[in-house]
Amino acid sequence: MAISIILLFLPLIFFSSFSSSTIDRLSGSSSLSVEHADDVLTSPNGVFSAGFFPVGDNAYCFAIWFSEPYSEGNRTIVWMANRDQPVNGRKSELSLRKSGNAIITDAGRLTVWSTDTVSESPVFLYLHENGNLILQNSEGGVLWQSFDSPTDTLLPQQLLTKDMQLVSSRSQGNYSSGFYKLYFDDDNVLRLLYGGPEISVYWPDPELMSWEASRSTYNSSRIAFLDSLGYFSSSDNFTFMSADYGERVQRLLKLDFDEEIENRRLVTWVREKMKEAPEMSSWIEMIIDPKLEGKYDKGRMEILLEVALKCVAEDRDARPTMSQVVEMILHQENDSELV
């Protein structure tokens, strides 16, 4: 199964500019407020920003995103702290405590997220130019970093290890944890798991032995890495290279959201049924809801399925335009009327 089915690999080009007045670090007993739009940390190179991000009606999560929008103000989110417990749009804040802990509190002063760290020396929070949010003490010791607790995204220089996992979002506009996760299994193989009501391995093909899927189970280091040039490597012998490998652009590796993965799973399932049955009429019967009890026009169903499969071809350039789809359907309808 192609990696494009499970991972969204995005090269991002930015022309970054930022003001010298932006906040580069949070120190002492200070805080960032959800009510102040300027309470945002910016990386030294201006590529990344961190602050409260709106995720719904009067709902906010503390997040890291690319400073430059990709279209019409839309931001590319690369990490979220409280993705499953958004805070109120008033009186919520992220603050540093004298104890060395960084916490997010809601309007009711309830702690919804914490780094769970302790330090006898002063601490400060800053955003590295690679997108890593780091909590560090005055001696230079790293107490906590966002690279160790990813959400659905892997950035260049960020490691995916045996103790981490990428977890999908529910939908394109819903950032809460979804049902798919990319992780290293106990047999040292990188897998995509569906963790819904029925738990199942989605990728690699669970019907294949690891060696048949070109995976190795012998390397127990369990580590995966994306470099800045577009090369991905995993300790289980899985590698791939981006189509624009070598170009100097900002990159990320993102686990697609649930709805998109589900759509691709459906397409894969239909294609598998096609291979199982020699005749189209027989595999159509295998995929149609039995509750219809055969009360549908098989000829028209064949036409619709043929067109639908062309629309989801793996090669995007091979997919028909909407006008071509209409033309194909009308053409097939006219042919069927002549028979």
Side-chain angles (χ1 to χ4, degrees), residues 43-281:
S43 62
N45 56 5
V47 172
F48 294 96
S49 297
F52 284 99
F53 184 86
V55 295
D57 186 17
N58 196 36
Y60 291 79
C61 291
F62 192 85
I64 302 171
W65 61 84
F66 281 102
S67 301
E68 294 292 329
Y70 63 86
S71 68
E72 298 180 357
N74 293 317
R75 303 287 182 180
T76 301
I77 303 296
V78 299
W79 179 81
M80 275 189 173
N82 55 317
R83 67 188 302 196
D84 294 317
Q85 197 171 355
V87 295
N88 194 285
R90 295 186 61 189
K91 297 183 180 181
S92 301
E93 63 180 18
L94 178 142
S95 58
L96 295 184
R97 297 299 174 92
K98 292 181 179 180
S99 62
N101 196 18
I103 66 172
I104 296 175
T105 52
D106 204 343
R109 312 313 298 170
L110 173 69
T111 299
V112 300
W113 179 87
S114 170
T115 56
D116 293 324
T117 51
V118 177
S119 176
E120 295 181 357
S121 60
V123 299
F124 61 93
L125 187 71
Y126 73 98
L127 186 58
H128 194 277
E129 61 183 16
N130 61 7
N132 188 15
L133 187 65
I134 300 173
L135 182 66
Q136 188 171 330
N137 61 24
S138 57
E139 283 80 29
V142 175
L143 304 177
W144 174 92
Q145 57 183 344
S146 61
F147 268 19
D148 289 341
S149 55
T151 47
D152 63 355
T153 301
L154 194 70
L155 290 170
Q157 302 180 37
Q158 182 178 6
L159 301 179
L160 182 66
T161 69
K162 61 182 180 180
D163 299 320
M164 304 175 192
Q165 60 186 24
L166 300 185
V167 180
S168 62
S169 296
R170 289 294 182 91
S171 66
Q172 192 166 17
N174 184 346
Y175 297 95
S176 59
S177 298
F179 292 111
Y180 291 90
K181 67 177 182 178
L182 185 72
Y183 72 110
F184 279 101
D185 210 340
D186 292 336
D187 62 354
N188 303 324
V189 173
L190 187 64
R191 300 187 187 279
L192 183 68
L193 179 78
Y194 173 72
E198 296 181 4
I199 298 176
S200 61
V201 173
Y202 175 45
W203 173 86
D205 190 339
E207 295 184 1
L208 297 178
M209 299 295 291
S210 295
W211 62 268
E212 292 178 309
S214 301
R215 301 298 187 87
S216 171
T217 61
Y218 298 106
N219 191 337
S220 60
S221 62
R222 286 185 268 180
I223 188 169
F225 178 77
L226 170 69
D227 71 18
S228 59
L229 298 179
Y231 180 74
F232 180 85
S233 177
S234 174
S235 56
D236 66 350
N237 203 36
F238 174 70
T239 63
F240 71 87
M241 190 178 298
S242 67
D244 61 351
Y245 175 79
E247 293 186 16
R248 295 290 180 176
V249 295
Q250 295 294 336
R251 289 184 164 87
L252 61 82
L253 189 74
K254 182 180 287 289
L255 185 60
D256 222 335
F257 53 89
D258 284 3
E259 291 178 357
E260 189 66 20
I261 298 178
E262 286 293 339
N263 289 338
R264 292 170 179 171
R265 288 189 72 185
L266 178 61
V267 171
T268 302
W269 178 73
V270 170
R271 286 176 175 154
E272 289 174 351
K273 294 300 180 184
M274 288 176 63
K275 296 178 182 179
E276 293 176 10
E279 298 180 358
M280 188 169 192
S281 58

